[in-house]
Amino acid sequence: MAKVKTTISKPKPRTDILKLKSLGIHSYDSDNLYPQRCEDIENDSGTTKSCVELKTDYEAGSSFTDENLGSVVLNRKGLTTDDLRKKISESKNRHTGVIIHFNYNGLGQKTEINLIPFPYGRLTLDEGEFPNRVAVYNNWDGLNGKFEKKNIKYIHNYDRFKVFEQVNAEEVKTKDEDELETLSAKFDQYQGQVLYWTPKGNFQYPLCPFDAVLEDCLTEASTKRFKSNASARNFQPSKIFVIGKEESETDEDGNAIEGAGGFGESLSQFQGDEGVARAMVVEKDSAEEPFEVIDVEIQKYDGLLQHTENSATEDIVRRFNVPDILVLRREGGLGGNGSELYEAEVYLNKTTQTGRDDISKLIKECFVGFVGNNGFEDFSIKPLRPEKAIAPDSYKYYSKNEIRVSQGNEPVEDTEADTQILAVTLGVGGTQSLTAIINDTLMGYDAKFGTISVLFGLTNDEITKMLGPKPIGS
């Protein structure tokens, strides 16, 4: 019996890394624009952008455990450690990588810490003019003017033990051979170091977090444009008017007079500025052809379009490992109650802990040898604190807005939304005790006033409303 041989095709790499010898770099995909392209795709997909922002917030956490750490200023632009924590999280969740730049002083200490936008960085060729460096440029795509190779900065990869070796290798020209002057000139010319970080290693290009569903992101963007275009153009023509050939009016030189009338132009005056009840006009070759009106059967794409859009959205949310209740939130339609929302927030806090640990390690490394490090030891990040929803059987003890906020909804502007009945607050026993004090004939006004104030914590105005104004002479 003959054997059937099957061959499983090997999937193609998601990016093509080429050697661009003229620039001395490895290309980031065949067009060298992979991170820029991913940013464009993210901005065109609402679900993708929501997921990126949500993961960014949760990985960034609420603050550092050491509150003094967050306010440390890292550079002359005023960037703080809290700012850096959030920016690192954003870069990680948008590009799966981070680029951090360090400046150094003559003692080899870090004097400034800056975060470089990830799309600016490219890895250099080992056999090129600038090996073991990162090429930094803000115009790889040519959108900021003419591409200029001379504006590319080739900065050393991060290795704080090689600062002086790299500085001494700088070639400078000075008027005399004074060693201090030469060293100072070399430090002025030295561009510092760059830490090119990715979870898989510091010397390889990463795929963006949503690369596995890039096609779904594009699909969502396409369905969005389809709906927008169809809505603006009234979807499809509903009628076709077939008319005979029209004679156009001409001027003395035989040129057609623009706007001289005709059936098509007359019809357009009744279509509205956005083509309401859109119609198509077809002109035949002969003026003697009969006039016809043809009804167009409109193709209904609603079901197919909705399925395609929902499927793409679900794939994107699944790739980010984000509970869909946190992304597809609607007023009164969270897909569950406040308890489910709380559980989803707890889950996302748990799954983003590794990301927060990575950010902590990165910032800890930034502070090694930094002049602004005043002995910080704890670089851990506190997660966001989810609010547990109020149980339905406890609603009577809370105001309307307290219940809404616990369920993840916005508070409403209502004069009574933040108030509750005093009897509900005090309970049966407390209400009976308060009533007994008010009705006690043996207690004087001041005694009642003071007792209620101490026992129930009510304001003077509230007590006065209960007891009435103080009697004259009492």
Side-chain angles (χ1 to χ4, degrees):
M1 183 176 178
K3 294 183 178 180
V4 178
K5 183 178 180 181
T6 59
T7 303
I8 300 176
S9 60
K10 185 178 180 181
K12 295 181 179 180
R14 298 293 286 185
T15 56
D16 293 323
I17 309 302
L18 308 175
K19 292 184 178 181
L20 302 183
K21 294 183 179 180
S22 61
L23 300 177
I25 62 170
H26 294 280
S27 71
Y28 208 151
D29 206 2
S30 56
D31 61 355
N32 195 33
L33 295 175
Y34 176 82
Q36 283 85 350
R37 188 165 62 254
C38 287
E39 280 194 351
D40 290 340
I41 292 173
E42 176 203 334
N43 290 329
D44 209 17
S45 168
T47 302
T48 306
K49 194 162 189 66
S50 294
C51 288
V52 168
E53 292 175 349
L54 188 64
K55 288 290 290 286
T56 295
D57 289 342
Y58 273 79
E59 280 201 5
S62 61
S63 63
F64 288 102
T65 303
D66 185 343
E67 296 180 357
N68 294 323
L69 176 62
S71 59
V72 176
V73 179
L74 306 178
N75 58 38
R76 69 192 76 181
K77 295 180 180 179
L79 182 77
T80 66
T81 318
D82 263 337
D83 297 329
L84 183 63
R85 167 176 58 86
K86 297 171 185 176
K87 288 179 178 292
I88 289 177
S89 181
E90 179 182 357
S91 185
K92 276 181 78 275
N93 286 286
R94 182 159 282 137
H95 297 288
T96 325
V98 178
I99 302 178
I100 303 175
H101 175 260
F102 305 103
N103 279 326
Y104 293 87
N105 61 18
L107 300 176
Q109 298 172 313
K110 296 170 186 170
T111 56
E112 284 192 309
I113 302 172
N114 298 277
L115 190 128
I116 296 175
F118 194 78
Y120 290 4
R122 298 294 184 272
L123 301 176
T124 59
L125 299 172
D126 292 336
E127 64 273 20
E129 182 181 357
F130 304 102
N132 197 34
R133 300 194 188 194
V134 176
V136 178
Y137 188 40
N138 67 349
N139 195 33
W140 295 111
D141 52 13
L143 296 179
N144 294 325
K146 184 180 178 181
F147 183 94
E148 296 280 0
K149 180 182 176 181
K150 63 181 181 180
N151 292 332
I152 301 174
K153 295 181 178 180
Y154 296 89
I155 305 177
H156 290 281
N157 273 321
Y158 176 67
D159 187 341
R160 57 191 177 87
F161 297 107
K162 292 186 176 181
V163 172
F164 289 106
E165 175 186 330
Q166 294 168 358
V167 170
N168 287 326
E170 293 286 335
E171 296 181 0
V172 296
K173 294 181 179 180
T174 56
K175 294 181 180 180
D176 51 47
E177 297 182 357
D178 182 270
E179 292 185 3
L180 289 179
E181 183 180 343
T182 301
L183 182 61
S184 176
K186 287 183 175 183
F187 261 104
D188 289 341
Q189 184 173 289
Y190 183 55
Q191 296 182 13
Q193 294 180 339
V194 163
L195 172 59
Y196 190 99
W197 179 93
T198 76
K200 302 296 184 181
N202 295 350
F203 301 103
Q204 57 181 311
Y205 292 134
L207 298 176
C208 74
F210 47 93
D211 182 87
V213 291
L214 276 180
E215 292 78 7
D216 292 285
C217 302
L218 292 169
T219 298
E220 185 181 72
S222 296
T223 57
K224 175 184 66 176
R225 278 190 289 274
F226 179 89
K227 290 188 296 184
S228 176
N229 291 337
S231 176
R233 292 169 172 78
N234 197 41
F235 299 94
Q236 293 180 356
S238 57
K239 302 282 186 183
I240 296 180
F241 293 93
V242 182
I243 63 175
K245 184 176 181 62
E246 292 185 324
E247 295 294 335
S248 59
E249 296 185 30
T250 60
D251 57 20
E252 295 178 355
D253 298 325
N255 299 318
I257 300 176
E258 185 177 353
F263 180 81
E265 184 170 337
S266 298
L267 180 65
S268 66
Q269 297 177 8
F270 298 94
Q271 294 297 300
D273 61 346
E274 292 294 339
V276 179
R278 202 170 185 83
M280 179 186 295
V281 177
V282 177
E283 183 178 314
K284 292 187 176 182
D285 293 333
S286 173
E288 298 178 358
E289 293 287 345
F291 180 88
E292 294 181 70
V293 178
I294 302 175
D295 290 326
V296 178
E297 183 180 350
I298 305 299
Q299 299 294 320
K300 296 181 179 180
Y301 295 104
D302 294 358
L304 180 60
L305 183 66
Q306 189 65 48
H307 170 75
T308 302
E309 186 175 27
N310 290 344
S311 176
T313 298
E314 290 171 4
D315 288 344
I316 295 170
V317 173
R318 189 181 302 116
R319 175 64 189 92
F320 278 92
N321 196 23
V322 171
D324 58 3
I325 191 175
L326 298 178
V327 180
L328 309 175
R329 294 176 59 177
R330 302 179 182 90
E331 181 72 19
L334 293 173
N337 53 36
S339 178
E340 290 183 8
L341 178 61
Y342 173 78
E343 291 171 1
E345 292 174 339
V346 171
Y347 171 80
L348 192 53
N349 259 335
K350 183 178 180 180
T351 58
T352 53
Q353 183 58 52
T354 300
R356 284 192 294 279
D357 291 342
D358 287 339
I359 297 173
S360 296
K361 292 175 184 177
L362 267 171
I363 294 179
K364 183 177 182 180
E365 182 60 36
C366 289
F367 269 67
V368 175
F370 176 53
V371 293
N373 186 354
N374 295 323
F376 294 106
E377 297 180 354
D378 187 359
F379 291 85
S380 62
I381 298 171
K382 294 190 292 186
L384 295 177
R385 182 181 177 183
E387 297 290 340
K388 192 167 185 177
I390 298 171
D393 57 358
S394 299
Y395 282 175
K396 62 183 180 180
Y397 301 115
Y398 295 89
S399 70
K400 184 193 300 182
N401 273 339
E402 287 174 326
I403 296 171
R404 288 178 60 81
V405 171
S406 78
Q407 294 176 340
N409 297 318
E410 295 294 327
V412 296
E413 294 184 4
D414 186 341
T415 55
E416 297 181 357
D418 290 317
T419 61
Q420 49 189 162
I421 300 174
L422 183 60
V424 173
T425 305
L426 298 178
V428 177
T431 302
Q432 290 176 342
S433 298
L434 178 60
T435 303
I437 294 173
I438 294 174
N439 295 328
D440 192 327
T441 57
L442 299 178
M443 293 182 68
Y445 184 91
D446 290 338
K448 291 180 180 181
F449 200 103
T451 302
I452 294 173
S453 175
V454 172
L455 293 181
F456 300 99
L458 301 180
T459 65
N460 291 347
D461 289 340
E462 290 172 334
I463 299 173
T464 302
K465 287 180 181 179
M466 295 178 186
L467 299 179
K470 184 176 180 180
I472 300 175
S474 63

